[in-house]
Amino acid sequence: MARILVTDGMDQEAVKELKNLGHEVVEKHFEVEDLKEQVKNFDALVVRSATKIRKEIIDAAKETDNLKLIVRAGVGLDNIDVSYAEENGIIVSNTPKASSSAVAELAIGHMFSLARNIYIANVTMRNGEWNKKQYKGIELSGKTLGLVGFGRISKETAKRASALGMKILYTNRSGAKEGYDEYSYVSMEELLKKSDFISLHVPFNKEKGALIGENEFNMMKDGVYLVNLARGGVVDEKALLKALDSGKVAAAAVDVFEKEPTENKELYTHKRVSLTPHIGASTKEAQARIGKEVIEKIKKNLDRRTADVCC
Ligand code: MLT
């Protein structure tokens, strides 16, 4: 039996299943100072994006050496100091496949929202305004979508956008074409220059900082639409606001923020920003799949380790 701490919520069927397997599961979010104490008492941690597992948490866990596994119930590992955890003998794992459709569908949803002013019409109608003439939109069909990064989520987005009649350009950091006849591999610069819509699907690189800043905005078409469901730091929020105000960016969809919950009022009150609070992976189906993957990770990494140790 292992003690498992779930700090950012998990599918309830998965929690039940873990308990049925004989594990003790505690579902509670702790702020850093409390987490430093709590982590000493658990064999495994399951986190989404809200909990940050940095050096200080790992050092605290090492005091008792109970913590053997950290599972990120999601794709990105940017909220965990992976190499430091691994150097200290803690296995770090994620669930990279489970949420691709959910995030891709939200990206497409945001694109429709931007193209047809759905996000802002929702706000103004609630204020009693009837702005029919202001909300003439555009169609996605026939437009060029540039996908920055071409992993699972990006490929799912490409499939859906292509079915809507969009032309797909993609670029990735490895510089490798992926052999799709229906999508065109281009350089980052070409993608920025040619796309009507740009959707970001790359992890945040702390050392390099924002991938989309003033220079990149300058290269984009006038009136481009930008969608960021990847990570907050990938887009420089100040540069985005400037690009929105100058009209370079017609409208932007933002699900992830430099700081979460965001305190950037200028951004979250901007009239041409479609907002969601980091919910790319938040569908029943994705969370159920993530829950199943978490159980597999625990079975594979923890049960085996416990068995090795105990017998
Ligand atoms: C992910 O990386 O998969 C998401 O950010 C997970 C989440 O919703 O917290």
Side-chain angles (χ1 to χ4, degrees), residues 48-50 72-76 78 99 230-231 278-282 287 290:
R48 281 181 70 178
S49 48
R72 167 72 161 87
V75 180
D78 50 298
S99 55
R231 280 294 177 267
H278 199 149
I279 56 165
S282 295
Q287 289 306 313
I290 287 170

Side-chain angles (χ1 to χ4, degrees), residues 2 9 13 62 66 75 100 123 128 154 159 168 182 232 235 247 278 283 298 300:
E13 284 304 312
K62 288 312 289 174
N66 285 329
V75 180
S100 310
V123 176
S154 191
K159 227 194 278 176
I168 311 298
E182 65 276 43
V235 176
H278 199 149
T283 63
I298 287 172
K300 183 172 165 230

Side-chain angles (χ1 to χ4, degrees), residues 114 119 240-241 244 251-254 257 266-275:
L114 297 179
Y119 63 102
L240 171 60
L241 281 165
L244 281 161
V254 190
F257 300 83
E266 213 185 322
L267 184 65
Y268 72 73
T269 56
H270 201 285
K271 283 204 170 100
R272 281 183 287 113
V273 177
S274 177
L275 297 153

Side-chain angles (χ1 to χ4, degrees), residues 237-238 241 257-258 261-269:
E237 290 181 359
K238 264 198 196 130
L241 281 165
F257 300 83
E258 283 173 358
T262 180
E263 288 166 9
N264 191 341
K265 195 166 177 192
E266 213 185 322
L267 184 65
Y268 72 73
T269 56

Side-chain angles (χ1 to χ4, degrees), residues 21-249:
L21 289 169
H23 300 301
E24 185 185 338
V25 183
V26 175
E27 294 176 87
K28 195 164 183 219
H29 183 82
F30 294 100
E31 294 306 325
V32 179
E33 286 311 310
D34 290 334
L35 186 59
K36 273 160 65 176
E37 280 313 303
Q38 291 297 328
V39 76
K40 297 174 186 170
N41 308 319
F42 289 90
D43 302 289
L45 267 181
V46 180
V47 303
R48 281 181 70 178
S49 48
T51 303
K52 315 279 178 239
I53 308 296
R54 302 291 176 220
K55 182 177 181 295
E56 54 188 331
I57 304 290
I58 296 160
D59 286 341
K62 288 312 289 174
E63 286 176 27
T64 55
D65 235 357
N66 285 329
L67 190 67
K68 297 160 197 79
L69 174 68
I70 302 169
V71 187
R72 167 72 161 87
V75 180
L77 286 164
D78 50 298
N79 56 325
I80 301 169
D81 281 350
V82 179
S83 41
Y84 192 67
E86 288 176 347
E87 274 163 31
N88 281 282
I90 300 166
I91 299 167
V92 180
S93 196
N94 62 344
T95 61
K97 296 182 201 151
S99 55
S100 310
S101 307
V103 184
E105 287 189 11
L106 187 65
I108 298 289
H110 268 298
M111 283 198 260
F112 276 124
S113 178
L114 297 179
R116 301 305 300 272
N117 300 295
I118 300 170
Y119 63 102
I120 190 70
N122 253 294
V123 176
T124 52
M125 276 198 77
R126 280 168 220 278
N127 294 335
E129 294 173 39
W130 184 263
N131 298 332
K132 187 175 164 89
K133 284 196 183 132
Q134 277 178 37
Y135 297 148
K136 183 189 276 176
I138 57 162
E139 293 172 9
L140 296 185
S141 177
K143 301 296 181 300
T144 298
L145 170 64
L147 295 166
V148 179
F150 206 54
R152 291 184 185 89
I153 295 171
S154 191
K155 285 179 183 138
E156 288 300 316
T157 308
K159 227 194 278 176
R160 287 158 177 78
S162 184
L164 292 168
M166 298 186 89
K167 180 181 167 201
I168 311 298
L169 305 180
Y170 71 92
T171 194
N172 56 26
R173 278 172 310 169
S174 68
K177 291 186 187 181
E178 299 240 2
Y180 286 90
D181 293 338
E182 65 276 43
Y183 313 140
S184 306
Y185 175 84
V186 292
S187 67
M188 177 74 164
E189 194 173 330
E190 194 176 343
L191 184 142
L192 296 175
K193 285 181 175 160
K194 291 191 171 165
S195 302
D196 302 303
F197 284 76
I198 296 174
S199 188
L200 306 171
H201 300 281
V202 288
F204 175 57
N205 184 323
K206 225 194 294 174
E207 280 72 46
K208 291 192 179 154
L211 181 70
I212 305 294
E214 209 164 327
N215 286 342
E216 289 70 26
F217 281 118
N218 287 339
M219 281 188 237
M220 293 177 193
K221 270 189 183 180
D222 290 340
V224 68
Y225 293 85
L226 181 74
V227 177
N228 184 16
L229 275 65
R231 280 294 177 267
V234 171
V235 176
D236 177 337
E237 290 181 359
K238 264 198 196 130
L240 171 60
L241 281 165
K242 203 170 154 197
L244 281 161
D245 290 338
S246 71
K248 169 60 90 176
V249 172

